[in-house]
């Protein structure tokens, strides 16, 4: 059985960027529903419950019986993606909430020119995603950071360390921002927990490419 994790902050801590009402329904409504449906799908399969969920999803074709495959991929993906999302959010450090003094902040400067240019690149991907899904910042090949989109509750690519993810389902923003997704993306930058992101970055062992001279 998977448990719905509690948030590492209070529902109103991310105000005014992510509002309390949205955070409550997002966690207690949507995330709980993914968790409950995942548990219901795995309930008749105690042997699968003991296995690593991420691995089961990545190897779904081989590892999961057909009757529950779609349910586990969708709801297990939703369960894991939201666990990750909450872990990289937090009360803004200050008004700007920039990754000043972090290792990943240096890579933004080296690869994108500045944090601001990285933000623009991330926003292009996030606003360009069609329908529901996620935008991720991962460590790619050749020591380059990559910004990628995945549809629905698809997990970020295997074998690439994940540093950041943004939920772009309308349930994440519609109450406050309605159809104004770019405003939601901009609000996200204010509530990124950069110390948590930088910890992931350092722990991943990702080696950024040398800055071109
Ligand atoms: Mn969500």
């Amino acid at each position: 059985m998977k448990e719905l994790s509690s948030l590492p902050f209070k529902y109103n801590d991310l105000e005014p960027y992510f509002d309390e009402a949205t955070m409550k329904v997002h966690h207690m409504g949507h995330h709980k529903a993914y968790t409950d449906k995942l548990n219901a799908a795995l309930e008749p399969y105690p042997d699968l419950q003991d296995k690593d969920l991420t691995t089961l999803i990545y190897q779904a074709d081989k590892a999961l019986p057909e009757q529950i495959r779609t349910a586990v991929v969708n709801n297990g993906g939703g369960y894991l993606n939201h666990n990750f999302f909450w872990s990289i959010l937090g009360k803004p450090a200050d008004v700007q909430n920039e990754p000043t003094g972090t290792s990943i902040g240096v890579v933004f400067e080296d690869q994108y020119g500045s944090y601001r240019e990285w933000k623009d690149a991330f926003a292009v991907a996030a606003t360009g995603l069609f329908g529901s899904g996620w935008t991720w910042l991962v460590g790619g090949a050749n020591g380059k950071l990559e910004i990628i989109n995945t549809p629905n509750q698809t997990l970020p690519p295997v074998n690439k360390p994940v540093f950041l993810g943004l939920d772009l389902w309308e349930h994440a923003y519609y109450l406050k921002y309605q159809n104004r997704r770019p405003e939601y993306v901009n609000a996200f930058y204010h509530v990124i927990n950069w110390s948590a992101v930088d910890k992931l970055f350092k722990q991943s062992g990702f080696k950024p490419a040398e800055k071109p001279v």
Side-chain angles (χ1 to χ4, degrees):
M1 289 280 285
K2 299 295 181 193
E3 301 274 340
L4 179 67
S5 57
S6 53
L7 299 182
F9 43 79
K10 296 199 295 293
Y11 287 115
N12 64 0
D13 271 351
L14 311 187
E15 291 272 7
Y17 307 105
F18 287 10
D19 62 296
E20 181 175 5
T22 298
M23 289 306 298
K24 279 183 172 168
V25 72
H26 200 170
H27 181 242
M28 292 189 282
H30 296 276
H31 195 188
K32 183 176 189 303
Y34 293 123
T35 310
D36 291 347
K37 288 176 185 172
L38 170 68
N39 285 329
L42 289 176
E43 207 266 321
Y45 301 90
D47 53 321
L48 293 179
Q49 292 171 26
D50 295 334
K51 297 202 168 141
D52 177 61
L53 179 61
T54 306
T55 307
L56 286 179
I57 293 174
Y58 281 129
Q59 301 177 355
D61 285 349
K62 284 184 296 180
L64 292 170
E66 197 186 348
Q67 306 93 287
I68 62 163
R69 194 174 295 147
T70 302
V72 172
V73 168
N74 289 345
N75 294 294
Y79 171 76
L80 293 168
N81 286 341
H82 287 84
N83 283 350
F84 180 83
F85 190 41
W86 311 139
S87 79
I88 54 96
L89 298 178
K91 212 179 170 94
D94 54 40
V95 175
Q96 294 303 320
N97 197 53
E98 294 188 358
T100 313
T102 62
S103 301
I104 201 166
V106 173
V107 184
F108 289 153
E109 288 172 21
D110 287 351
Q111 187 177 328
Y112 294 89
S114 65
Y115 170 61
R116 196 177 155 181
E117 285 166 279
W118 171 80
K119 280 203 306 186
D120 290 346
F122 192 88
V124 167
T127 54
L129 171 73
F130 182 77
S132 297
W134 293 73
T135 295
W136 306 97
L137 176 69
V138 302
N142 307 322
K144 294 283 191 184
L145 296 176
E146 290 176 4
I147 298 165
I148 54 160
N149 290 339
T150 59
N152 303 312
Q153 295 297 352
T154 304
L155 298 179
V158 70
N159 295 333
K160 288 187 178 176
V162 183
F163 307 129
L164 201 63
L166 176 59
D167 187 346
L168 291 159
W169 286 56
E170 284 186 342
H171 69 227
Y173 61 88
Y174 208 85
L175 272 181
K176 183 176 173 79
Y177 295 103
Q178 290 84 49
N179 60 333
R180 304 187 303 279
R181 187 190 279 187
E183 286 183 31
Y184 165 69
V185 175
N186 193 54
F188 169 62
Y189 300 130
H190 289 276
V191 294
I192 295 171
N193 181 339
W194 283 114
S195 69
V197 172
D198 208 45
K199 201 171 164 191
L200 290 172
F201 181 80
K202 286 175 178 160
Q203 285 174 345
S204 72
F206 176 73
K207 295 272 183 291
E210 296 285 319
K211 186 183 179 184
V213 286

